[in-house]
Amino acid sequence: MQAQPQKHFSTCTLCEAMCGIEVTTVEREIISIAGDKKNPFSEGHVCPKAAALKDLYDDPQRLRQPMRKTAAGFEPISWEEALDTVAEKLHGIQHEHGNDAVGVYLGNPNAHNMGSILFGPYFYRALNTHNRYSATSVDQLPHHIVSRQMFGHQLQIPIGDIDNTDYFMIIGGNPLASNGSIMTVPHIKRRLKAIQKRGGKVVVIDPKKSETADISCDHHFIKPGSDVLLMLAMVHTLFAKGLVDAAELLAHAPDLLQVEAYVKPYSPERVAKRVGISSEEIETMVSEFCAANSAFCYGRMGASVQVFGTLTQYLIMLFNMLTGNFNRRGGMMFTQPAADTLPHSGRGTMGKYSSRVRNLPAFAGEYPVAALSEEITTPGEGQIKAMVIGGGNPVLTTTNGKQLDKAFEQLEFVAAVDFYITETSRHADIILPPVTALERDHYDVVFHNFAVRNSAKFSPALFSQPEDTKTDWQIYLGLAERIDKLNGKATEHYAKLWEKEPIGVVDDMLKSGRYANGEHNVSIQTLRDQPHGIDLGPLQPELPGAIYHDDKKISMAFDYFMADLPRVEQHFFSDSSPLNARTADTLDLIGRRHLKSNNSWLHNSPRMMKGVKSNQKGQNPRCSAQIHPDDAARFNIQDGQFITVTSRVGQVEITAELTEKIMPGVISIPHGWGHNKAGSSWSLAEQHSGVSVNDLTDEMCLDELSGNAVLNGVPVTIAALESPLE
Ligand SMILES: Nc1nc2c(c(=O)[nH]1)N[C@H]1C(S)=C(S)[C@@H](COP(=O)(O)OP(=O)(O)OC[C@H]3O[C@@H](n4cnc5c(=O)[nH]c(N)nc54)[C@H](O)[C@@H]3O)O[C@H]1N2
Ligand SMILES: Nc1nc2c(c(=O)[nH]1)N[C@H]1C(S)=C(S)[C@@H](COP(=O)(O)OP(=O)(O)OC[C@H]3O[C@@H](n4cnc5c(=O)[nH]c(N)nc54)[C@H](O)[C@@H]3O)O[C@H]1N2
Ligand code: SF4
Ligand SMILES: [Mo]
């Protein structure tokens, strides 16, 4: 008898939008993936990437067995042997050189993986090393620090009430390409249009007229990296024009009005030239924002990964507070998640220790990843001799990736938890490949906390798990138990964890959570019975309950944040400003995202790469250098011509794409490309290799307050290549 098709209601975990999907399978084959119209949160929305989940599952180049590197290349080995070898090697190196000799880097996909989030920590605890790194410090680290300081918990991040607002100001985000970040929001286009339909405004501040700017009311070009000045001037204007509306919030944020003294020197007139937006425009933006019934200002990726990323995000928060748009409908609020992980996770320790070579501050147990290569290459006590890289590709995604690539070569031992041989995992002695997203149980323990509406959804694995496969959590728990055993530690408690599984932990959180009783009665069982997920209502004002500080007050932490102001003065206004050292030929490098790409991966997915034409060198239109026609004329560059782009740390050769959408003086190159390193398993990605923009970004240039990477506003020069590549 022929097997019947089965329908599953699952969730796409590729980006933060949490779209519900309807997956049709026959036996162990995925037949199709479509939007789940009955999902109350995403209402049928999917982007083209959802289909990549099928390609990922089908990809013959995806690893399905652990691999060991030999002189003749990688060969498959058993799970037992792989896990035993990794544990023994790591233990041996720690025994000989100390715990810090083992480093760990965790990439972005872990945030979308319930098992990694909940059980990964057993592995780091077993290793007990200071040398922990992640993609956080090439991304959202400023948000965590702002929340830690102001609200007492790194994960307590306010979210914009997009469905009820009358004015949405977007600084350094392009949700039409990214589908939103630290704002879990499917159907972003529909929601942006709805704001405008109800008479509201969407305003984008971006050095590029992005896809989002294209469908917004206003767009202002801004000079990359100058957002801090814009925000200082906007907050200044609130006080100067008597627009502050904070009476209600003062009960929760008693020091809020003291901000005035700090922003006094930053009039719109003073900053306009450095920002590239006129003082009149700045003042108009502020008065329109204040005149709206409700409004919020949202700063994301583009505003975080710049020289003053942390101070910028802090000032954005102050701006929302001072305009009366914090903790209210249509403004910014905290979420009310069904499985509240915050009481169970670290609030974010800071100021306790710093990195060995460059003294960069650790936050929440991690060093900034900009320190990773020097910690591998600089001899001395605490030098990294072995690395574990889990679900990340730092050779392509972190600053000065080329240098990191070289540094990895000198390690004594590398293990990777990844299902591909990538530009990074090719360095591994052993690769431990987990199953793909749809093959594991999923409850989103991260992004429900950042969603524009409260909801809950459990997505069981599509198939029963075959004996010879492992999920990420099984890999991490297996390693942790082995390492603890080798260290002579008690391991009895592991039996309970194996039995409980991450989903059991989620069930406990749901059953002790705010929707455990009453109408919703939320537990994994009730969610199993409602496979499309359930709606739990709009965000609610929640002060002072949401504050984690003992006194239940929002802290201004002036000593911490405003200590950065002298650096702002030096950077923008002093004679020794690095900006003065630039010539007329210096351009500001920024990044961008494409709807059919996801950081460094999905370039091996036939569905995502369909129609992309690359030349023999793998140069392709998605990985182009966008420049303004005026700049092109200055440097005698034609559309489609090959150019060199040079920074302090490196040079790439890339196709120029002329567009008026980019601000003059700015050049945009997307990240995640550069699949031209020998030895990866990505043959399709290799054909469309592109070049890695992180061969240009500079590991020595940081947001000094946090140690976060500077990916936007990197100074580069360009030149036309005389003999174009074929
Ligand atoms: N210049 C520049 N650089 C950037 C950015 C930028 O805008 N500009 N963006 C930055 C940002 S925001 C981020 S988050 C980082 C991302 O940086 P990383 O996290 O380092 O890179 P990814 O490409 O997300 O890594 C994906 C890897 O994880 C593997 N993987 C996928 N799913 C799973 C899984 O379920 N389990 C496991 N174990 N592995 C899996 C993939 O095969 C791939 O090798 O890049 C940053 N780098
Ligand atoms: N399709 C797709 N979706 C993704 C991802 C992906 O790789 N592809 N990655 C996911 C991840 S890990 C993340 S973190 C999110 C990020 O999601 P977003 O935060 O929306 O990030 P981007 O789409 O990179 O948009 C950043 C914008 O900032 C602008 N920008 C650059 N420099 C500056 C500056 O100095 N000032 C200002 N004001 N703007 C600037 C850029 O031009 C760009 O339009 O996207 C997620 N979603
Ligand atoms: S927007 Fe696209 S990638 Fe993001 S969750 Fe939805 S379908 Fe997946
Ligand atoms: Mo990210």
Side-chain angles (χ1 to χ4, degrees), residues 297-448:
C297 174
Y298 158 84
R300 215 9 227 124
M301 176 73 196
S304 294
V305 287
Q306 47 172 281
V307 189
F308 295 98
T310 306
L311 193 54
T312 302
Q313 295 295 353
Y314 170 71
L315 289 160
I316 287 173
M317 211 55 76
L318 293 181
F319 187 72
N320 286 316
M321 288 179 175
L322 285 161
T323 54
N325 285 300
F326 194 79
N327 194 45
R328 69 169 283 209
R329 196 180 144 94
M332 281 207 150
M333 286 177 279
F334 297 109
T335 57
Q336 289 76 38
D340 193 356
T341 48
L342 269 62
H344 310 283
S345 48
R347 294 184 191 185
T349 42
M350 54 194 302
K352 288 258 159 71
Y353 54 98
S354 47
S355 69
R356 179 179 65 109
V357 179
R358 217 193 312 172
N359 222 14
L360 296 178
F363 176 76
E366 289 181 5
Y367 295 127
V369 70
L372 181 52
S373 26
E374 68 205 20
E375 292 297 333
I376 295 172
T377 55
T378 311
E381 207 184 316
Q383 181 185 10
I384 299 177
K385 304 275 183 184
M387 280 295 299
V388 181
I389 297 140
N393 195 359
V395 166
L396 296 192
T397 59
T398 68
T399 45
N400 204 348
K402 213 177 195 165
Q403 177 177 279
L404 187 62
D405 192 33
K406 242 185 127 62
F408 281 152
E409 283 172 14
Q410 79 174 66
L411 290 166
E412 283 177 26
F413 180 75
V414 179
V417 183
D418 203 307
F419 37 56
Y420 282 111
I421 305 174
T422 70
E423 295 72 20
T424 301
S425 66
R426 74 197 174 108
H427 290 286
D429 296 283
I430 295 202
I431 306 181
L432 305 161
V435 297
T436 66
L438 296 176
E439 299 169 82
R440 59 185 191 232
D441 287 346
H442 179 69
Y443 182 96
D444 210 308
V445 286
V446 173
F447 296 104
H448 281 301

Side-chain angles (χ1 to χ4, degrees), residues 61 139 181 187 199 224-225 228 268 273 338 359 380 429 463 465 503 561 655 678 714:
Q61 291 174 343
D139 186 356
S181 183
H187 272 308
V228 67
K273 195 167 144 257
N359 222 14
D429 296 283
F463 314 114
Q465 193 185 349
I503 204 61
F561 291 108
T655 321
V714 178

Side-chain angles (χ1 to χ4, degrees), residues 126-249:
L127 284 179
N128 191 22
T129 169
H130 287 100
N131 273 312
R132 283 179 47 201
Y133 303 83
S134 78
T136 293
S137 50
V138 278
D139 186 356
Q140 82 285 2
L141 178 57
H143 293 264
H144 295 312
I145 292 182
V146 168
S147 284
R148 173 68 186 95
Q149 290 279 9
M150 299 188 87
F151 314 123
H153 198 302
Q154 56 166 332
L155 298 172
Q156 190 65 303
I157 304 180
I159 303 301
D161 187 11
I162 191 169
D163 291 336
N164 295 304
T165 199
D166 301 293
Y167 193 107
F168 180 18
M169 180 182 279
I170 306 176
I171 303 189
N174 182 15
L176 247 70
S178 68
N179 281 298
S181 183
I182 317 198
M183 177 178 65
T184 285
V185 58
H187 272 308
I188 180 69
K189 197 171 184 177
R190 191 162 90 186
R191 286 170 144 116
L192 292 179
K193 287 196 164 154
I195 295 175
Q196 295 167 66
K197 247 187 226 149
R198 58 180 181 264
K201 242 182 150 172
V202 179
V203 176
V204 173
I205 295 165
D206 197 307
K208 179 165 175 203
K209 188 159 190 288
S210 62
E211 293 88 337
T212 307
D214 276 339
I215 62 153
S216 300
C217 308
D218 292 340
H219 165 247
H220 301 272
F221 279 136
I222 183 166
K223 287 192 183 167
S226 70
D227 299 76
V228 67
L229 291 182
L230 173 69
M231 290 318 302
L232 283 164
M234 292 199 346
V235 177
H236 170 104
T237 305
L238 293 177
F239 287 102
K241 303 244 170 210
L243 292 168
V244 171
D245 174 13
E248 268 182 52
L249 198 62

